[in-house]
Amino acid sequence: MTPLLAIRGMVKRYRNPGFTGLVGRRSEAAVDGVDLEVQPGESVGLIGESGSGKTTLVRAALGLLDFEQGEVELLGHPLRGLSKGQLRGLRGRCQLMLQSPDASLNPGLSVLEHLLESARLHRPQADAGEVVADFAERVGISHRLAGLPYELSGGEKRRVGIARLLIADPHLTVADEPTAGLDAALKAEITDLLLATRSPERGHLFISHDIPLIAYACQRVAVMYAGRVVEELPVSAIGAVQHHPYTSALLQAAGFAVDCPPALAAAPAGRGLPGCCYLGPCPLALPCCSQQAPELRALADADGPGQHRVACHHVAPGVSP
Ligand SMILES: Nc1ncnc2c1ncn2[C@@H]1O[C@H](COP(=O)(O)OP(=O)(O)OP(=O)(O)O)[C@@H](O)[C@H]1O
Ligand SMILES: [Mg+2]
């Protein structure tokens, strides 16, 4: 089966402005050798601390940012080989819901104008007015069609974004913190609206700090720390297997009962150093952890071979699969 999204070995560095503001130096990698796939029919969650590189990863994967190393295939097409026109065509089928709902709204256009624009672009054969009426109703924004973005609440802006996404009917939906800042009831409603597009051909990648929401919406989850994926596992295995110590700390903070000593209050080793990126806070660190960065290695748990992978010398020692 061709993955909807396949990221292999991606490295992305931002350029730091130099003293003069003219000569930039590449900083440590924001994304540091990440592999990630979304298969048709699958919803994948991406979690990890603020600044771990989640937004950078998905923006680069959808061709919105250059990256230095690695390969991306979108709906089976290698990103690097695509012309601008081909990329534009593919983007219609791979939609990104941005982390900030304001960033994707034009301040001078009303809700109606935003939705009409999407209807004309993605459903040219249909009556744009009917499409807008239908989708505005589905997402509960019909009463605000005349509103401008600055007049809308955070939840209403998200509803506009979701209506546009549903009109586009993409194969791959990437939602970057789609429920951030919303109350619990609205979170559930917005998530269900996004999941309404689930089908065997379509896939979702959800970025969120809300682990219960990821557990509700996804089958598989990848955990990022300091630009790397440190663990990847089926959602059903959360709390039931031995986790990367960073995942354990995240799960403990979210109220899950996991078996791992708490993280230390030390600073992380940082990006770009030879050892493990989680060395400083790690309660399980071994001498080798300061020398060699651990690779993602498969663990043999109940969910089957290759389903649970951890980058940790303590939890998953041994040879890479
Ligand atoms: N345009 C930019 N220029 C320079 N550095 C950047 C830029 N955007 C992000 N970064 C840096 O790259 C790293 C990863 O940022 P990113 O926004 O991808 O993290 P994130 O995991 O999405 O965080 P959050 O959960 O807060 O949204 C951070 O150290 C950030 O400061
Ligand atoms: Mg982000």
Side-chain angles (χ1 to χ4, degrees), residues 5-10 34-37 57-58 61 71-73:
L5 174 66
I7 303 171
R8 299 197 186 92
M10 181 188 284
V34 168
D35 295 348
L36 190 71
E37 282 193 358
L57 177 74
V58 296
E71 300 300 331
V72 172
E73 284 183 15

Side-chain angles (χ1 to χ4, degrees), residues 282-300:
C282 186
L284 306 177
L286 302 167
C288 62
C289 301
S290 59
Q291 313 294 325
Q292 199 189 343
E295 290 173 22
L296 271 177
R297 294 190 183 109
L299 288 180

Side-chain angles (χ1 to χ4, degrees), residues 55 99 176-177:
T55 297
Q99 185 164 357
D176 192 353
E177 300 197 30

Side-chain angles (χ1 to χ4, degrees), residues 42-293:
E42 191 181 38
S43 299
V44 178
L46 185 59
I47 61 176
E49 66 164 6
S50 191
S52 56
K54 306 177 297 295
T55 297
T56 302
L57 177 74
V58 296
R59 283 174 58 83
L62 295 184
L64 298 167
L65 275 179
D66 290 335
F67 51 96
E68 285 73 42
Q69 287 174 40
E71 300 300 331
V72 172
E73 284 183 15
L74 263 183
L75 309 184
H77 302 274
L79 198 59
R80 290 202 191 276
L82 296 176
S83 68
K84 281 192 177 153
Q86 288 170 318
L87 184 56
R88 218 173 301 125
L90 265 187
R91 280 221 196 97
R93 297 157 64 202
C94 304
Q95 294 274 316
L96 171 63
M97 217 178 137
L98 295 171
Q99 185 164 357
S100 155
D102 287 302
S104 55
L105 297 176
N106 180 332
L109 293 186
S110 67
V111 172
L112 176 65
E113 287 164 323
H114 278 98
L115 299 190
L116 282 173
E117 191 180 73
S118 296
R120 290 183 187 126
L121 182 66
H122 297 290
R123 299 184 185 238
Q125 317 299 342
D127 180 289
E130 282 178 18
V131 171
V132 170
D134 178 15
F135 285 92
E137 177 75 30
R138 283 196 217 184
V139 307
I141 197 73
S142 305
H143 61 298
R144 298 295 278 131
L145 286 177
L148 288 166
Y150 81 91
E151 298 170 324
L152 304 178
S153 71
E156 287 169 342
K157 287 178 197 167
R158 303 257 178 208
R159 287 177 199 273
V160 177
I162 291 178
R164 294 172 84 191
L165 196 117
L166 296 181
I167 291 171
D169 193 21
H171 278 74
L172 174 68
T173 297
V174 179
D176 192 353
E177 300 197 30
T179 61
L182 303 181
D183 67 70
L186 202 47
K187 271 185 192 183
E189 194 191 331
I190 295 282
T191 308
D192 283 339
L193 284 169
L194 282 168
L195 291 176
T197 58
R198 260 206 297 225
S199 78
E201 303 81 42
R202 287 169 170 68
H204 294 78
L205 179 59
F206 283 101
I207 299 177
S208 182
H209 291 285
D210 189 331
I211 298 175
L213 181 136
I214 291 287
Y216 168 70
C218 301
Q219 292 91 49
R220 204 155 56 79
V221 62
V223 184
M224 278 189 83
Y225 185 83
R228 299 181 189 170
V229 171
V230 296
E231 182 163 1
E232 202 180 329
L233 74 162
V235 160
S236 57
I238 289 179
V241 291
Q242 197 183 1
H243 290 291
H244 187 282
Y246 172 64
T247 312
S248 297
L250 259 188
L251 293 174
Q252 278 169 350
F256 288 79
V258 288
D259 187 20
C260 182
L264 309 177
R271 299 164 195 258
L273 294 176
C276 174
C277 57
Y278 193 59
L279 181 64
C282 186
L284 306 177
L286 302 167
C288 62
C289 301
S290 59
Q291 313 294 325
Q292 199 189 343

